[in-house]
Amino acid sequence: MLAPWAFEYPAEEDRKNPERFSNDYYRDTLPQDLWEFENAVVDGDVFTVRKCLEAGVNINAALDNNHMTALMIACTMGNWDLIQILVEDFDADLDGPLSRAGLRAIDYAGYQGYRFPNEHPICEYLKSKGSQHTWWGACIAGDFKRVKEFVENGQDVDEVNPVLWSANAVFIAQEFAQNRIAAYLVTKGGTVVVRNCHNVDTHEMKWSVGRGDCFFYKSCKVERPGAGVMDEYVPEWTV
């Protein structure tokens, strides 16, 4: 979610490109070549992306108010074709650019659950190309070895990320259902933040990864009536 000021547009006569209105004024003020490039990346149009890059567009340019590059956007969408073109054909910078939240492209892949053992292990692919998670990305993606490496090298476990809910690493690990990471950080002095009016969603609530589904359905009371009791469920209205 963007900050409220991201939606504050100047008066129409003062806008650089008044014909554009994407709810992101930073994006609206991009030069024409980057504007076309950003639209192609978001649309997953690999042909236009390739054409723009061959014409000399800056592949590592920030394309929106969150300072996300083309590779970050592609990782967020899980677009394998686009990711491979950017990385292998045009040598996109994997770890140099940081978004406003201090995340790299690999972190956004982990943010969306594109990691082993899920269906699209983009994180592992980027690691094979030399990329590494940031502190925040490691907590999000559940990369325990990377988190431990940060802690052993003096990382402040209570550092606050002003973009990600002004949260520390313990809160972020909990938010992304990385309970083992959160427990480890607590043993290293991390503060457990308790906030009112906040519902923590786990990945199991967002999509199925094929593990523990039956227990999840039971806890949510959404299993079919008579499961485990009746051999065959017959709706009441048919009786």
Side-chain angles (χ1 to χ4, degrees), residues 164-179:
L164 296 178
W165 312 292
S166 294
N168 65 1
V170 175
F171 181 89
I172 289 176
Q174 290 177 320
E175 179 70 15
F176 288 87
Q178 304 298 346
N179 297 328

Side-chain angles (χ1 to χ4, degrees), residues 73-94:
I73 295 172
C75 286
T76 299
M77 298 188 302
N79 191 323
W80 272 108
D81 293 336
L82 196 52
I83 292 169
Q84 289 178 315
I85 287 175
L86 294 171
V87 173
E88 299 180 13
D89 293 354
F90 292 95
D91 197 26
D93 190 345
L94 301 182

Side-chain angles (χ1 to χ4, degrees), residues 9-68:
Y9 273 60
E12 187 170 355
E13 60 273 12
D14 296 330
R15 297 177 193 169
K16 186 175 181 180
N17 299 293
E19 72 282 1
R20 302 177 186 174
F21 190 85
S22 65
N23 275 338
D24 184 336
Y25 190 61
Y26 184 99
R27 183 188 296 125
D28 288 351
T29 57
L30 289 173
Q32 184 61 30
D33 58 345
L34 286 178
W35 169 258
E36 294 178 2
F37 181 53
E38 192 273 344
N39 278 271
V41 170
V42 171
D43 290 341
D45 184 349
V46 294
F47 301 103
T48 302
V49 167
R50 182 179 290 275
K51 183 182 74 172
C52 290
L53 292 172
E54 289 175 347
V57 166
N58 182 2
I59 191 174
N60 299 312
L63 299 178
D64 60 21
N65 180 66
N66 286 323
H67 294 180
M68 292 180 67

Side-chain angles (χ1 to χ4, degrees), residues 133-220:
H133 286 294
T134 62
W135 166 244
W136 306 111
C139 295
I140 289 170
D143 189 337
F144 183 80
K145 291 182 179 179
R146 183 68 169 160
V147 170
K148 187 177 180 181
E149 179 184 348
F150 271 104
V151 172
E152 290 177 347
N153 284 277
Q155 171 67 42
D156 178 8
V157 295
D158 270 342
E159 180 184 351
V160 169
N161 189 316
V163 176
L164 296 178
W165 312 292
S166 294
N168 65 1
V170 175
F171 181 89
I172 289 176
Q174 290 177 320
E175 179 70 15
F176 288 87
Q178 304 298 346
N179 297 328
R180 187 171 67 134
I181 300 291
Y184 170 74
L185 293 173
V186 170
T187 68
K188 297 300 179 180
T191 301
V192 178
V193 180
V194 179
R195 296 178 175 177
N196 293 329
C197 303
H198 181 76
N199 178 43
V200 177
D201 294 328
T202 65
H203 280 286
E204 285 75 13
M205 294 178 181
K206 296 175 181 176
W207 59 74
S208 168
V209 294
R211 296 183 177 184
D213 284 0
C214 59
F215 302 103
F216 170 66
Y217 293 144
K218 286 182 179 179
S219 66
C220 292

